[in-house]
Amino acid sequence: MNILVIGSGGREHAVIKSIKKNPAVETVYCLPGNGGIAADATCVNIGAKDIDGIVKFASENKIDYAVVTPDDPLVLGCVDALTAVGIPCFGPDKKAAIIEGSKAFSKDLMKKYGIPTAAYEIFDDMDKAIAYLQNKDMPIVIKADGLALGKGVIIAQNLAEAEEAVRSMMADKVFGASGDHVVIEEFLTGPEVSVLAFTDGKTLVPMVSSMDHKRAHDNDEGLNTGGMGTVAPNPYYTADIADVCMETIFLPTMNAMNAEGRTFKGCLYFGLMLTPKGPKVIEYNCRFGDPETQVVLPLLESDLLTVMQAVTNETLADVEVKFATDQSACCVIMASAGYPQSYEKGYEITIPAEVADSVYVAGAAIKDGKLVNSGGRVLGVTSVADTLPEAIAASYAKVEKIHFDNAFCRKDIGQRALKAMKE
Ligand code: AMP
Ligand code: GLY
């Protein structure tokens, strides 16, 4: 089989390594991929948002199955376009991808179907938004409506910050058209859990839970990033909480999308907060999380491609989706100093062969035959072990063996989870 994966991050690298375990897979193409992914797939420089280019490539290269991983192409209708030319795909169509593409849509969906989430109001008028803020409890959360590369969320500590956030989104358009509508919502507290789920619209199978580390520096300090590391499973996510989530959030969401005529097929990502009043949805994503995927897929014992094809064929109920529930995984991201702000590119990356299997490359290119960093988040290093402390230690031992100038990583990935396990 010829497989096509759209995207260029560590998540795509993890998906590719997992798919390649299926013996029927002959060739994997990745558009655009990156210099590190090139070790495991044929990368072709067609951008993930170039839907026409992707469809042309897929048609010309006898692609049997395509996996569309990032939010942009999903929201732009990449799955619709590939399906229209007869290529089966993993990922939601455009109508369903709106669950991530518009926060206003997802908040209204939750309200309509009684799915627990933070109380909120949506505004398209800046003066009304600012008037609304005047007697509200602080902190308060301001979100740009559309995709904003994970940066469109501001937690304002006081009224001045909240007003500034609204102005920057609605008047200064710091997130472009995403700021035409803003969602203002209640600030929730509690541990955060990421749960990815396979669903074909009839059946929903949650994957092992995980914990992201979004801040750039140790002790959750510094700016928000695309994720500096993950562990799985998430110790806060007990079997009882999982049952509550299935009943009050996961299945109601699948059913709500069906009722709206927007059946979701693919990987639905639930960003949850375990509040004192029970689990609530912070956000939905219409795709695998990054770097959650880098700890979740290494724990998958079933064949990924088989599960994905079952989602496409709406036969998910018939396949086994088994995770190594007695094991733990830890992924440590190595970034270039200065990330998520300015950072330097072009430093040579050396990855010894003995750790290469554990590495998912996110931001690297090949230059003069050498692998060099081309992004802020450069790569992730994952280990699976019988216990979480062993997985953490193994990942940091591998990090020691990988080199590029100006590399940095958080030293405390997994420590919050270990603390929770002792509580
Ligand atoms: P999002 O892009 O919606 O995932 O938001 C980014 C981060 O902002 C989340 O991971 C939370 O840590 C935080 N956040 C978002 N919404 C809320 C909320 N209503 N209350 C508290 N924190 C939030
Ligand atoms: N790790 C969060 C995300 O993928 O959106």
Side-chain angles (χ1 to χ4, degrees), residues 11 100 212 214 226-227 269 283 285 287-292:
R11 165 185 61 195
E100 173 169 4
D212 196 0
K214 288 200 165 94
Y269 170 125
E283 64 162 348
N285 291 326
R287 52 171 176 84
F288 283 99
D290 190 338
E292 284 89 344

Side-chain angles (χ1 to χ4, degrees), residues 23 66 76 130 190 200 224 295 321 358 383:
L76 289 170
I130 287 182
D200 60 0
N224 253 327
V295 284
V321 185
S358 315
S383 302

Side-chain angles (χ1 to χ4, degrees), residues 103 118 141 143 150-151 153 155 185-189 192 214 224 273 282-283:
K103 289 197 193 290
V141 183
K143 300 185 175 182
K151 293 180 192 134
V153 176
I155 297 176
E185 69 177 34
E186 166 199 15
F187 177 74
L188 300 176
T189 55
E192 286 186 55
K214 288 200 165 94
N224 253 327
M273 195 169 268
I282 289 281
E283 64 162 348

Side-chain angles (χ1 to χ4, degrees), residues 23-365:
V25 172
E26 289 154 286
T27 310
V28 181
Y29 295 100
C30 188
L31 310 185
N34 68 46
I37 292 177
D40 291 289
T42 304
C43 297
V44 180
N45 197 12
I46 296 174
K49 290 199 263 185
D50 178 2
I51 308 298
D52 292 343
I54 292 168
V55 171
K56 186 165 176 283
F57 178 88
S59 305
E60 288 172 359
N61 288 276
K62 297 196 174 60
I63 297 300
D64 298 298
Y65 192 72
V67 180
V68 184
T69 0
D71 47 3
D72 279 322
L74 289 166
V75 170
L76 289 170
C78 191
V79 166
D80 311 56
L82 287 168
T83 308
V85 295
I87 297 168
C89 290
F90 182 83
D93 64 11
K94 186 175 179 172
K95 266 176 106 177
I98 193 176
I99 197 164
E100 173 169 4
S102 167
K103 289 197 193 290
F105 170 86
S106 66
K107 293 298 289 191
D108 286 346
L109 184 85
M110 289 185 267
K111 188 186 268 180
K112 183 169 172 188
Y113 293 92
I115 298 164
T117 188
Y120 74 100
E121 290 289 337
I122 300 170
F123 296 92
D124 60 6
D125 179 293
M126 188 171 79
D127 294 335
K128 285 191 182 144
I130 287 182
Y132 171 83
L133 289 171
Q134 298 310 310
N135 48 17
K136 286 281 167 295
D137 291 340
M138 298 290 154
I140 198 159
V141 183
I142 324 278
K143 300 185 175 182
D145 176 44
L147 295 178
L149 297 171
K151 293 180 192 134
V153 176
I154 293 177
I155 297 176
Q157 299 299 330
N158 53 49
L159 183 60
E161 278 182 30
E163 289 184 356
E164 173 54 28
V166 167
R167 279 198 194 95
S168 69
M169 288 180 195
M170 301 192 85
D172 307 341
K173 301 280 181 207
V174 290
F175 303 117
S178 287
D180 289 348
H181 294 78
V182 298
V183 178
I184 301 184
E185 69 177 34
E186 166 199 15
F187 177 74
L188 300 176
T189 55
E192 286 186 55
V193 181
S194 306
V195 179
L196 318 182
F198 291 110
T199 175
D200 60 0
K202 297 174 178 164
T203 305
L204 182 142
V205 184
M207 301 180 218
V208 61
S209 63
S210 55
M211 180 190 285
D212 196 0
H213 297 66
K214 288 200 165 94
R215 299 287 184 149
H217 301 295
D218 288 3
N219 305 315
D220 295 322
E221 286 169 12
L223 293 171
N224 253 327
T225 70
M228 293 300 294
T230 35
V231 295
N234 185 322
Y236 288 106
Y237 192 71
T238 61
D240 285 348
I241 292 175
D243 288 345
V244 171
C245 290
M246 193 68 177
E247 203 173 307
T248 64
I249 296 175
F250 303 161
L251 293 176
T253 301
M254 180 182 84
N255 294 333
M257 291 298 276
N258 287 336
E260 294 292 309
R262 295 177 184 274
T263 294
F264 188 103
K265 290 167 60 174
C267 172
L268 185 51
Y269 170 125
F270 298 89
L272 306 172
M273 195 169 268
L274 308 181
T275 79
K277 290 186 186 157
K280 296 193 180 189
V281 177
I282 289 281
E283 64 162 348
Y284 292 116
N285 291 326
C286 65
R287 52 171 176 84
F288 283 99
D290 190 338
E292 284 89 344
T293 306
Q294 292 92 309
V295 284
V296 168
L297 290 184
L299 292 172
L300 178 67
E301 289 180 338
S302 308
D303 177 60
L304 178 62
L305 184 59
T306 305
V307 176
M308 287 181 156
Q309 289 175 309
V311 167
T312 309
N313 299 332
E314 299 178 20
T315 55
L316 182 57
D318 304 335
V319 300
E320 189 186 42
V321 185
K322 197 167 174 290
F323 284 87
T325 45
D326 54 347
Q327 296 200 296
S328 294
C330 169
C331 174
V332 177
I333 300 291
M334 295 179 75
S336 185
Y339 173 78
Q341 290 172 299
S342 63
Y343 54 85
E344 291 184 28
K345 298 179 187 177
Y347 292 117
E348 184 177 355
I349 305 165
T350 50
I351 304 172
E354 80 248 35
V355 299
D357 280 352
S358 315
V359 174
Y360 303 114
V361 178

